[in-house]
Amino acid sequence: MRRGSVRSRAAAGATLVVAVALVAAGFLVVATLRGQLAGTAELTAENTARGVAAQLSDVRDAQVGDVDGLDGDDPVQVVDGGGRVLGATDPLDGHGPIAHFARADRPDDSEHDGDHDGDHDGDGDDDGDGRDKDKDGDGDGDKDGDRADVDRDSETKTLTLPVDDDGEVTYDKDDTVGRQEFRVVAVQSLTRDGTPVTVYAGGSLHAQQEAVSTVTRSMLIGLPVLLLVVAGVTWLVTRRALRPVEGIRREMSAITASTDLSRRVPEPGSRDEVARLARTTNETLAALEGSVERQRRFVADASHELRSPIASLRTQLEVAAAHPELLDVDGAVEDTVRLQTLAADLLLLARLDAGERPSPARVQPAALVREQLAQRVGDPHPVRVEEPLAQDEVRGSAGQLARVLGNLLDNAQRHAAGAVTVAVRAGGGALTLEVRDDGEGVPEAERERIFERFVRLDGARSRDEGGAGLGLAIARDVAERHGGSLMARAAPEGGACFVLRLPVAAARDTDGERVEGAPGAGGDTSGS
């Protein structure tokens, strides 16, 4: 993926979201504005119509044209029940009822004259006698089918009338420059003579159209500019936020190229996700450096430990080749056994480091103690067993647990002054196996260090007597793989006490089942 793609996607995404939001808001604003202005025009027309209608009850039919409200330029018209125009403002003077005007937009009405009302004599009627023909008997002087744009279920309607360059309604063909929409309201009333009349008044929608047009133009101009600003700000903010990530990437690339795990990535001073990423990366590098260092020391120590028995065995074989009578068979066998034991220990550690899990078989530590003691016939010190031994079982590899017990007994025999004690106890859902000696013990400051690989506290002790220093390290690794622990403390006898704790297997479990909290299933390494 090319550099900067995250910033590009972030900027594009933010811009798209803002664009959608602005377009939706724009439609909502325009619709709201249009509705409010249309309502204002309708309210203005209604007030005008009601003002005229309120005066008609005080005038006779012949005096309708003299009432206030019919002397302005806005479209106002008074029509009686027969469709005769009793009065109108100047723009509508001499024309038929407003209800007829919409017919001019109908394709089949092209034969009508310039006043758009079908009135040929200019007096507002169709038959020349001052009245429209009322064919449907409803008193409105017009057929229902002729009112194409009139909503009969409402008192209001929108009509389009011709206007001049000042926006005033006009039917003079020389002055007509366009058409304008009016919101028309019809109000019923009675004249003093008792004639039912309808007052038509129109409110111009020009202000609405101008306002909507202005708002639309402003949005069309401002939207691209705003989107450019959003995209630019998002790009800059994302670039600044991702700058530490780029620093981490460069440093990781340099570490990979140099294989120098002591280097660390820069940690920003902020407390955001990038800072946590940097800290986690440094922690990972530290753990990796420690693992590589341990592996390096392990290889170096293993090579050093293997060198002695191999060199000794080679020397004996070379002497035997030159002087067969000087061959020390017992020493050669002893060196071979040491070499074999060390190789087995190294192999077991390698398998444990690889994450090999013990088998889920049920093992009884008490039986392992008796079996181990029966096999150890050459120990220099007697082993005392504290009875009774707990008969609880644990889950794991019998071979690996026997190896732990054997290593602990070997260590106790090596340091004991006169006796070694073994105890197996149960309690708190765990089984505890103790191996104690009456030797000098382990200093408190060294009780963790002794579990490190190739560590021997007695520097004067030879490898032949003290081993390679892998026994306790193997014992702790095996204990942890079995979900338990191994620690050292002072023994009541004055020497060292090694305590192995393992979780007890549930009594209802059957062989081959994995229980919660028990070690995971895996290959049995009992042969190690």
Side-chain angles (χ1 to χ4, degrees):
M1 185 174 297
R2 63 183 180 84
R3 182 180 178 183
S5 59
V6 174
R7 295 194 295 269
S8 300
R9 291 198 303 270
T15 304
L16 178 61
V17 171
V18 173
V20 172
L22 289 178
V23 170
F27 278 112
L28 180 61
V29 168
V30 170
T32 303
L33 180 62
R34 188 189 301 274
Q36 290 179 346
L37 293 177
T40 301
E42 181 177 328
L43 180 61
T44 301
E46 182 178 356
N47 290 336
T48 302
R50 290 187 182 277
V52 173
Q55 303 175 57
L56 295 180
S57 60
D58 297 330
V59 299
R60 297 182 180 279
D61 294 356
Q63 299 173 332
V64 169
D66 298 331
V67 301
D68 294 339
L70 296 180
D71 53 356
D73 295 328
D74 291 333
V76 180
Q77 194 178 70
V78 181
V79 182
D80 65 6
R84 183 166 56 94
V85 178
L86 302 181
T89 56
D90 289 343
L92 301 181
D93 189 23
H95 297 279
I98 288 179
H100 294 187
F101 292 171
R103 295 188 302 173
D105 294 331
R106 293 166 52 88
D108 56 353
D109 289 337
S110 58
E111 71 276 7
H112 294 305
D113 60 16
D115 60 6
H116 307 304
D117 62 352
D119 183 6
H120 296 282
D121 56 14
D123 61 357
D125 56 47
D126 288 339
D127 54 0
D129 59 1
R131 293 185 180 273
D132 294 335
K133 295 180 179 180
D134 188 358
K135 297 183 181 297
D136 54 2
D138 59 1
D140 60 3
D142 190 15
K143 294 186 292 182
D144 293 346
D146 290 339
R147 300 185 181 181
D149 293 340
V150 176
D151 184 2
R152 288 182 171 275
D153 296 331
S154 173
E155 288 186 318
T156 62
K157 57 188 174 182
T158 301
L159 293 180
T160 302
L161 303 177
V163 295
D164 58 16
D165 54 0
D166 294 327
E168 297 179 358
V169 178
T170 177
Y171 284 92
D172 188 340
K173 293 183 179 180
D174 295 334
D175 294 336
T176 299
V177 296
R179 303 180 69 80
Q180 187 180 126
E181 290 186 349
F182 288 83
R183 194 71 168 172
V184 178
V185 176
V187 176
Q188 305 295 325
S189 183
L190 292 174
T191 65
R192 184 176 179 179
D193 296 334
T195 302
V197 296
T198 300
V199 180
Y200 294 101
S204 175
L205 295 178
H206 178 70
Q208 176 208 53
Q209 295 167 351
E210 285 293 327
V212 170
S213 178
T214 301
V215 171
T216 302
R217 284 196 304 269
S218 300
M219 288 183 176
L220 291 178
I221 296 174
L223 180 61
V225 176
L226 183 58
L227 292 181
L228 288 176
V229 172
V230 170
V233 171
T234 304
W235 174 275
L236 294 177
V237 171
T238 308
R239 178 183 180 184
R240 180 178 180 85
L242 294 179
R243 187 176 299 162
V245 177
E246 179 61 21
I248 294 174
R249 187 202 65 78
R250 285 197 302 265
E251 187 63 25
M252 287 296 295
S253 178
I255 293 173
T256 302
S258 64
T259 66
D260 182 8
L261 296 178
S262 63
R263 299 174 61 172
R264 297 293 181 265
V265 300
E267 294 186 14
S270 59
R271 298 183 178 180
D272 54 11
E273 293 82 355
V274 177
R276 291 195 292 271
L277 172 63
R279 287 192 291 271
T280 303
T281 302
N282 284 334
E283 292 171 359
T284 302
L285 288 173
L288 183 59
E289 181 185 14
S291 176
V292 171
E293 180 62 23
R294 286 192 301 271
Q295 187 71 18
R296 186 192 63 79
R297 290 200 308 266
F298 177 77
V299 173
D301 292 338
S303 301
H304 181 71
E305 294 296 334
L306 288 171
R307 186 181 298 115
S308 294
I310 292 177
S312 175
L313 184 59
R314 177 181 177 179
T315 300
Q316 296 182 51
L317 292 177
E318 289 176 348
V319 171
H323 306 281
E325 70 279 3
L326 299 179
L327 175 62
D328 183 5
V329 177
D330 294 337
V333 171
E334 184 178 350
D335 287 339
T336 303
V337 172
R338 284 181 56 212
L339 187 60
Q340 182 181 12
T341 302
L342 181 57
D345 288 345
L346 294 176
L347 178 60
L348 177 56
L349 285 173
R351 282 161 34 192
L352 292 175
D353 289 342
E356 184 178 65
R357 310 291 291 181
S359 68
R362 300 172 73 94
V363 180
Q364 189 180 67
L368 290 180
V369 169
R370 295 190 180 92
E371 182 180 349
Q372 280 288 317
L373 295 181
Q375 296 175 359
R376 302 176 68 90
V377 295
D379 288 342
H381 305 291
V383 178
R384 185 174 64 89
V385 178
E386 287 189 358
E387 297 289 352
L389 296 176
Q391 301 300 309
D392 296 79
E393 295 180 332
V394 299
R395 286 196 174 273
S397 168
Q400 290 187 10
L401 294 177
R403 183 65 174 276
V404 172
L405 178 58
N407 289 352
L408 295 179
L409 289 173
D410 289 341
N411 183 76
Q413 289 288 343
R414 191 177 299 119
H415 296 90
V420 176
T421 304
V422 179
V424 180
R425 303 184 183 91
L431 197 68
T432 303
L433 187 150
E434 293 183 0
V435 178
R436 307 193 300 267
D437 63 72
D438 56 357
E440 297 179 357
V442 181
E444 185 174 357
E446 303 289 346
R447 289 177 184 171
E448 281 299 316
R449 182 170 172 266
I450 59 176
F451 292 104
E452 296 180 7
R453 299 173 183 182
F454 301 105
V455 170
R456 289 184 297 272
L457 297 184
D458 189 355
R461 188 183 302 273
S462 68
R463 286 184 173 82
D464 293 339
E465 296 175 348
L470 293 176
L472 294 180
I474 291 175
R476 169 165 280 189
D477 283 353
V478 172
E480 292 176 349
R481 291 296 188 275
H482 282 73
S485 62
L486 177 63
M487 64 179 60
R489 64 188 183 191
E493 296 85 355
C497 176
F498 289 87
V499 181
L500 172 66
R501 289 177 60 85
L502 297 172
V504 175
R508 64 177 179 274
D509 293 339
T510 60
D511 290 343
E513 292 183 351
R514 187 179 188 275
V515 295
E516 185 177 357
D524 189 355
T525 57
S526 57
S528 299

